[in-house]
């Protein structure tokens, strides 16, 4: 019979060990950000990393109704006023088009390979990626936002903090180069790096895996989803429905 093997935790009578640390000590001595980082990544953050973590965990606290995560959660809560079910629905809306920095992370990996394999500098690697995306008619991940047109202040804060604490490294430099090259090639200056790109770049520079930085992003968005579900259930408005849909089938004569 197979059994689970884990390096995350062990639980015994009166004792929980988390990544080698006593959970009792974690509770007494660490902040939530430090404990979450330890749990997900497997090590304690440095003092500089801890400052960045606080910004990461607050960067996606709420998207409002712009985000499909929030509207999904509230729709489900209006049909089934159950906190856990509605929050789970909101989390299921996270993925390729919202919250997840995975595609931005993959773009940075491609850029790193171009620099390594072809000896390109940051600007040349960025130009190669931009040209390839434009030639294929593909959207470049993490550029632009439906609400924050001129700049995404959340990305600006994260990048500024990373530079301030000395953790702004190759991935941040590369994403800035990608944005510059895209503006030069397309003339679209109103497509700044958004928060998903900032999270991917910072995560890459911290040595996190794609799944680890996505996990931190999901933790960041969770509070906002829960707040909206609590409000939706509290107001007691049942069965929200879409009123601006269009029926696209011509009448049968």
């Amino acid at each position: 019979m197979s059994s689970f093997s884990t390096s995350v935790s062990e639980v015994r009578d009166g004792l929980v060990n988390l990544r080698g640390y006593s959970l009792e000590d974690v509770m007494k001595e660490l902040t939530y950000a430090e404990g979450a980082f330890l749990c997900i990544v497997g090590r304690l953050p440095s003092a500089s990393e801890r400052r960045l973590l606080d910004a990461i965990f607050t960067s996606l606290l709420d998207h409002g109704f712009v985000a499909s995560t929030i509207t999904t959660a509230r729709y489900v809560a209006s049909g089934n006023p159950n906190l856990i079910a509605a929050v789970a629905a909101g989390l299921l809306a996270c993925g390729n088009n919202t919250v997840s920095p995975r595609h931005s992370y993959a773009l940075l990996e491609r850029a790193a390979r171009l620099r390594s394999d072809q000896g390109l500098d940051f600007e040349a690697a960025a130009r190669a990626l931009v040209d390839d995306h434009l030639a294929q008619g593909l959207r470049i991940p993490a550029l632009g936002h439906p609400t924050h047109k001129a700049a995404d202040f959340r990305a600006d804060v994260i990048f500024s903090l990373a530079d301030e604490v000395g953790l702004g490294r190759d991935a941040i430099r590369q994403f800035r180069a990608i944005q510059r090259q895209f503006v030069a090639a397309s003339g679209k200056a109103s497509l700044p790096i958004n928060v998903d790109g900032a999270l991917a770049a910072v995560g890459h520079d911290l040595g996190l895996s794609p799944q680890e930085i996505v996990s931190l992003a999901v933790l960041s968005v969770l509070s906002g989803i829960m707040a909206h579900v609590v409000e939706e259930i509290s107001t007691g408005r049942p069965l929200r429905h879409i009123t601006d849909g269009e029926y696209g089938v011509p009448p049968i004569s």
Side-chain angles (χ1 to χ4, degrees):
M1 179 181 295
S2 62
S3 61
F4 288 111
S5 176
T6 180
S7 59
V8 177
S9 64
E10 67 165 345
V11 180
R12 292 183 279 138
D13 184 17
L15 175 70
V16 175
N17 286 319
L18 177 68
R19 300 288 194 180
Y21 293 82
S22 162
L23 185 59
E24 182 177 356
D25 292 339
V26 170
M27 293 170 64
K28 292 176 179 178
E29 300 174 12
L30 300 185
T31 66
Y32 174 78
E34 290 171 318
F37 189 85
L38 171 65
C39 187
I40 293 169
V41 179
R43 63 175 177 83
L44 288 173
S46 67
S48 297
E49 289 173 331
R50 187 172 63 247
R51 289 192 63 193
L52 264 182
L53 276 178
D54 287 332
I56 289 172
F57 281 135
T58 53
S59 65
L60 298 176
L61 279 179
D62 193 32
H63 279 137
F65 296 115
V66 173
S68 58
T69 52
I70 299 301
T71 50
T72 298
R74 294 192 75 133
Y75 266 90
V76 170
S78 74
N80 176 19
N82 178 287
L83 177 76
I84 294 175
V87 170
L91 288 177
L92 288 174
C94 300
N96 289 356
N97 297 325
T98 186
V99 176
S100 174
R102 184 171 59 86
H103 293 304
S104 304
Y105 193 102
L107 185 68
L108 290 169
E109 289 282 89
R110 284 186 61 192
R113 287 194 297 271
L114 285 172
R115 297 197 311 270
S116 175
D117 297 345
Q118 300 183 25
L120 303 181
D121 61 18
F122 289 91
E123 294 295 333
R127 188 161 52 248
L129 287 174
V130 168
D131 289 346
D132 181 58
H133 278 72
L134 293 178
Q136 296 185 62
L138 299 175
R139 185 181 71 86
I140 297 178
L143 293 186
H145 190 275
T147 303
H148 310 300
K149 303 293 187 181
D152 188 333
F153 68 92
R154 301 163 301 176
D156 293 343
V157 169
I158 289 172
F159 284 157
S160 177
L161 271 176
D163 290 339
E164 180 184 328
V165 299
L167 294 176
R169 297 170 184 153
D170 287 356
I172 293 178
R173 181 180 177 186
Q174 184 65 75
F175 234 129
R176 285 169 167 159
I178 290 170
Q179 199 269 345
R180 284 194 299 271
Q181 290 297 326
F182 177 79
V183 170
S186 68
K188 297 179 180 179
S190 61
L191 286 179
I193 302 171
N194 62 37
V195 67
D196 290 347
L199 294 179
V202 167
H204 200 286
D205 279 342
L206 293 182
L208 305 184
S209 71
Q211 300 300 337
E212 288 168 343
I213 191 60
V214 169
S215 298
L216 298 184
V218 169
L219 279 181
S220 177
V221 81
L222 182 59
S223 294
I225 294 175
M226 290 191 291
H228 277 276
V229 170
V230 168
E231 182 180 68
E232 185 71 28
I233 294 173
S234 298
T235 58
R237 179 173 178 175
L239 294 176
R240 288 185 181 270
H241 61 281
I242 296 172
T243 58
D244 61 348
E246 294 182 1
Y247 182 57
V249 178
I252 298 174
S253 57

